[in-house]
Amino acid sequence: DNAAWLKKVQDAHAELSDLLEGAAYCLDWKASPGEWSIREIVYHILTTPRGGLPATLDKAVRGEIKELTIIGGETNLTPELQRKSLAEVKGDVDAFFAELTRVVSSASAEGMAREFLAHLASRNVDEVRTPQKQLERFLTSHGAEHLKQIAKVREALGLQ
């Protein structure tokens, strides 16, 4: 049911937007050298898999993806993204969720069930996925885990 997925997309958008409030001064702060900053987490969310989830789902729904390589553990942060202000980061978040909403709302049940092979490079695993499964994974595990990660950074900084 696309309506249920759209609600979850809206909720994830609202949560990420809330987590970015008041974070202008600490977008690049890291608790330790091995940790990711808020900016790195955000752009990992927006650009994984390569090209971003909305573009990937759009192609998968239309049957244009037969195989997808997903490389985990990368921030995908470029010098251009590094220079963006909080307002620009928020704009990128809004654009990501607007496009994700468009793709999910226009997808047919058949398109959301279309299978492709996902190569999970960092785990050396191949598995059959569908656009629905990819969306579900984003909303309930992968993306949700990164939202918790941002909340922990905020907590470490005393932002509530």
Side-chain angles (χ1 to χ4, degrees):
D1 177 20
N2 285 3
W5 289 115
L6 288 170
K7 172 72 171 110
K8 290 177 183 182
V9 168
Q10 288 174 337
D11 290 347
H13 184 193
E15 184 175 354
L16 181 51
S17 295
D18 288 348
L19 288 169
L20 290 175
E21 282 304 314
Y25 77 96
C26 60
L27 274 177
D28 299 305
W29 181 84
K30 297 180 181 190
S32 66
E35 299 292 320
W36 284 4
S37 68
I38 291 173
R39 182 188 309 271
E40 289 172 325
I41 298 165
V42 167
Y43 282 106
H44 172 78
I45 291 169
L46 300 186
T47 61
T48 303
R50 241 353 103 162
L53 182 64
T56 299
L57 289 182
D58 193 35
K59 290 176 183 173
V61 163
R62 290 184 282 134
E64 295 175 11
I65 293 180
K66 302 298 179 209
E67 294 186 28
L68 175 68
T69 298
I70 301 171
I71 302 170
E74 293 185 352
T75 64
N76 305 320
L77 199 59
T78 65
E80 177 188 340
L81 298 175
Q82 185 67 48
R83 289 189 295 271
K84 289 192 175 200
S85 68
L86 178 59
E88 292 170 313
V89 171
K90 287 179 171 183
D92 289 346
V93 167
D94 291 345
F96 172 91
F97 281 100
E99 182 62 8
L100 186 57
T101 297
R102 184 197 66 76
V103 170
V104 173
S105 64
S106 64
S108 67
E110 178 186 7
M112 289 297 278
R114 196 166 268 135
E115 293 182 344
F116 60 90
L117 184 61
H119 303 289
L120 310 176
S122 60
R123 295 189 308 199
N124 198 26
V125 171
D126 292 338
E127 63 184 34
V128 174
R129 288 196 179 170
T130 63
Q132 181 173 322
K133 185 69 174 171
Q134 193 73 21
L135 178 64
E136 178 182 353
R137 181 165 165 23
F138 170 73
L139 293 170
T140 62
S141 59
H142 180 251
E145 289 165 12
H146 287 307
L147 294 178
K148 288 178 190 171
Q149 192 179 5
I150 293 172
K152 285 182 182 178
V153 172
R154 289 181 59 90
E155 185 179 315
L157 290 165
L159 292 172
Q160 300 303 328

